[in-house]
Amino acid sequence: MGRRAREERQEKREDKAAKISKNKRKTNLMATGILAVIAVIVGYSVFVFMTQVDTSGALGAPDGAGRLGDEHEHASLLVRIFGDKLDFASPAYQIKSSWIHFEDSDGTTIHRHSSGVTLGDLFDSMGFTVNDECFAFPDGREFCTNEDYSLKYYINHKSVGNIYDYVLEDDARILISFGPETPEEIEVQLIELDSQMIKG
């Protein structure tokens, strides 16, 4: 009787070990299957994100903007109001839009990260109003052309009527000047603009 009981116990142990081994294999196969499904989902999501072209529904995307990252251009900006330089290095003006912005506490180099993004989009993102007559700060201060003072825009030393729809090109130089400046004083501001380093 002792021998038979030992054999039965041995068979039960072997059956139990076989069941445990079978359950482990089943669990491992299920885990592998789940991980494979997760990998496929993540891979597909990355593919869709990387090939996405339409940014019209993207949060904060300006109208007409291309895919974020499809271009990376840099330009220099100088704004003088009655001779005083506006400093965009302040945190209040840094990276307000992923598409076009100032960054790294640099207030002179504009970074454009998408095609179709304009200077108007830059100023809109910071709360400024810019048009052919006025340059207005987010706090409501306005500097508008009148009998005594004028708002002037220059792109690469050429006078332009408005910069709102301008899509900056790499190494462009943009001057915004408001006040009673003479052509000679504007030339001094343009020389200052040319001396600003474009960081990219």
Side-chain angles (χ1 to χ4, degrees):
M1 194 148 143
R3 184 174 184 196
R4 181 176 246 185
R6 274 195 309 256
E7 287 175 358
E8 285 177 6
R9 280 196 307 250
Q10 183 66 25
E11 283 179 26
K12 283 183 182 179
R13 280 189 208 127
E14 288 173 1
D15 286 345
K16 191 172 185 178
K19 270 187 180 179
I20 290 172
S21 179
K22 183 179 177 183
N23 283 340
K24 276 188 177 180
R25 277 194 305 268
K26 185 178 176 182
T27 302
N28 285 342
L29 284 173
M30 284 177 52
T32 302
I34 290 170
L35 288 175
V37 168
I38 290 172
V40 167
I41 291 170
V42 168
Y44 178 73
S45 298
V46 168
F47 171 77
V48 168
F49 178 76
M50 296 304 287
T51 59
Q52 171 183 336
V53 175
D54 180 20
T55 59
S56 59
L59 184 61
D63 290 339
R67 187 172 57 85
L68 187 59
D70 69 352
E71 291 185 5
H72 191 189
E73 308 290 340
H74 303 93
S76 185
L77 175 68
L78 174 62
V79 177
R80 289 235 175 240
I81 308 291
F82 289 116
D84 294 331
K85 183 177 180 178
L86 177 55
D87 186 8
F88 292 103
S90 162
Y93 304 125
Q94 296 286 302
I95 310 183
K96 294 301 176 187
S97 165
S98 297
W99 280 262
I100 187 167
H101 56 253
F102 295 100
E103 64 185 31
D104 295 330
S105 299
D106 172 27
T108 60
T109 302
I110 302 168
H111 299 257
R112 180 172 62 82
H113 295 279
S114 177
S115 58
V117 180
T118 67
L119 280 178
D121 296 322
L122 170 70
F123 286 109
D124 288 348
S125 73
M126 297 185 297
F128 286 83
T129 301
V130 178
N131 58 44
D132 57 343
E133 293 289 319
C134 295
F135 185 87
F137 284 78
D139 63 9
R141 291 177 292 151
E142 287 187 329
F143 298 90
C144 299
T145 296
N146 59 40
E147 299 152 6
D148 301 317
Y149 308 112
S150 63
L151 179 62
K152 298 163 281 300
Y153 299 115
Y154 291 84
I155 298 174
N156 297 325
H157 285 252
K158 291 189 170 109
S159 178
V160 295
N162 196 336
I163 59 166
Y164 191 85
D165 293 323
Y166 176 66
V167 176
L168 67 87
E169 297 171 3
D170 211 27
D171 295 324
R173 305 252 172 199
I174 300 123
L175 171 66
I176 300 172
S177 182
F178 180 82
E181 291 82 13
T182 64
E184 293 77 21
E185 291 169 319
I186 290 294
E187 188 59 35
V188 169
Q189 291 179 0
L190 289 168
I191 291 169
E192 177 186 3
L193 174 62
D194 288 341
S195 71
Q196 291 182 166
M197 187 170 77
I198 296 177
K199 299 176 183 173

